[in-house]
Amino acid sequence: MRIFNRPEIYSLLTGLCLSGLSVSAMAEDTINLRAADIHDADYPTVRGMASMAEQLSEETNGRINLKIYSGGQLGDEKDTLEIAIFGGIDITRTSLAPLNSIVPETGVFSLPFLFRSTEHMRKVLDGPIGDEILASLEPHGLIGLAFYDAGARSMYNTKHPIHTPADMEGMKIRVMNSNIFVDMIAALGGNATPMGFGQVYESLALGTIDGAENNWPSFEYSRHFEVAPFYSVTQHVMVPEGLVMSRYRWEQLSDEDQQLIRKAAKDSVPVMRRLWDARVEASREAIIAAGVNIVDDIDKQPFIDAMAPLYEEYLQDPALRNLVERIRAVQ
Ligand code: BDP
């Protein structure tokens, strides 16, 4: 065993004290961030955020501590967005749809049949148009950090298979809190009822609504298929998810920390997408295995045609019209 001499012991003790000091200094500097998501801990959006939290913790030795409150613990998406604007929640992951009334530019991504494919959508989100939309949040009290995938949404209901818009005549369909979604359902002949995701199962079961629309993973893990066993692969909209931060909180951070957060958010995107692609497949298989009545040979044209007035209405602003043209031009 090595015996230390007195000067060595002094220097060791000084070292320990200093590191003790720096630990306490570090503890004072710790930045605690609270993030919200309505989805459960193993949903790809939450796991994407968890990878962001891990990266931030590693890169800062635990100084930036991102804690995720999943499962809607902090409220539904409309609430968490409003609370984030006032600085009560630091980060929230929501669909872009509830942002439509706050940031008009985000409405473009809620327009039905806008993206031609997942590849097209990812290319737009990963390019300058994506950055432009993220930046458009800033004057509204939010910082757009990144986009996550939400696949394509399709119609489901408690009554009968939907093949054409005529099959939706008079149906009460739940939508997210977005006027574009409300108008989309009206254009298809249904009556839209906006409500939070957490209320949908019960409303379907009680018959307050006849249907809703969502991607395979949300339809499956929410178990909506138990009460609404008719799923038609209309793929009418591909509205992405947004990872957004409170601008109030953002402005309290140093430039370096802002950069770390932005980078960790962006770096979590490929992680999320890998999980997402696998999850879409697994959920689709689970739905088929559950015996849901699936219509997957839909002729989309009548649905696309029905959307013309919606485009007219929303694209009166030349800037938004131009945005749509630029999105369509992305190859
Ligand atoms: C899911 C989205 C989630 C929405 C939900 C909904 O991931 O952000 O809140 O749909 O329909 O696909 O409300």
Side-chain angles (χ1 to χ4, degrees), residues 122-143:
R122 287 180 178 171
K123 204 149 178 216
V124 170
L125 298 182
D126 295 345
I129 299 176
D131 287 340
E132 192 178 316
I133 302 289
L134 290 177
S136 72
L137 273 56
E138 210 163 322
H140 304 276
L142 295 165
I143 300 293

Side-chain angles (χ1 to χ4, degrees), residues 87-301:
I89 290 175
D90 305 307
I91 292 178
T92 179
R93 193 290 313 158
T94 84
S95 166
L96 245 59
L99 262 170
N100 298 167
S101 59
I102 306 173
V103 185
E105 290 87 338
T106 63
V108 166
F109 288 160
S110 290
L111 287 171
F113 304 106
L114 173 73
F115 295 117
R116 294 184 299 272
S117 62
T118 303
E119 292 66 42
H120 179 216
M121 179 193 69
R122 287 180 178 171
K123 204 149 178 216
V124 170
L125 298 182
D126 295 345
I129 299 176
D131 287 340
E132 192 178 316
I133 302 289
L134 290 177
S136 72
L137 273 56
E138 210 163 322
H140 304 276
L142 295 165
I143 300 293
L145 296 175
F147 295 109
Y148 280 170
D149 275 32
R153 298 173 75 98
S154 290
M155 299 290 172
Y156 53 91
N157 75 93
T158 58
K159 305 274 186 206
H160 53 238
I162 293 172
H163 295 274
T164 68
D167 298 324
M168 292 177 60
E169 194 60 47
M171 265 193 189
K172 270 194 168 176
I173 307 283
R174 173 270 170 174
V175 290
M176 292 187 279
N177 283 292
S178 155
N179 280 347
I180 303 183
F181 275 70
V182 171
D183 293 348
M184 169 183 79
I185 296 299
L188 292 168
N191 298 316
T193 309
M195 65 172 75
F197 187 62
Q199 296 157 256
V200 179
Y201 185 100
E202 199 182 299
S203 305
L204 287 166
L206 293 175
T208 339
I209 54 172
D210 304 314
E213 43 86 56
N214 223 315
N215 51 45
W216 292 107
S218 283
F219 179 56
E220 184 248 326
Y221 102 94
S222 62
R223 308 203 68 80
H224 291 174
F225 66 89
E226 292 174 349
V227 279
F230 299 98
Y231 191 88
S232 295
V233 188
T234 49
Q235 298 181 321
H236 52 273
V237 70
M238 296 177 94
V239 55
E241 318 277 27
L243 199 51
V244 307
M245 177 144 183
S246 160
R247 187 176 131 192
Y248 175 82
R249 186 72 173 101
W250 179 257
E251 285 172 351
Q252 297 166 350
L253 303 175
S254 67
D255 287 356
E256 294 75 37
D257 287 347
Q258 289 179 351
Q259 272 171 34
L260 285 171
I261 292 169
R262 220 183 252 291
K263 180 161 185 307
K266 291 264 186 198
D267 288 352
S268 71
V269 173
V271 176
M272 188 279 169
R273 283 183 182 165
R274 262 196 307 280
L275 294 165
W276 176 256
D277 289 343
R279 182 64 179 253
V280 169
E281 217 19 60
S283 294
R284 202 179 66 90
E285 279 164 19
I287 292 296
I288 294 170
V292 169
N293 182 311
I294 299 167
V295 181
D296 62 4
D297 58 351
I298 294 259
D299 173 11
K300 291 188 186 160
Q301 201 54 49

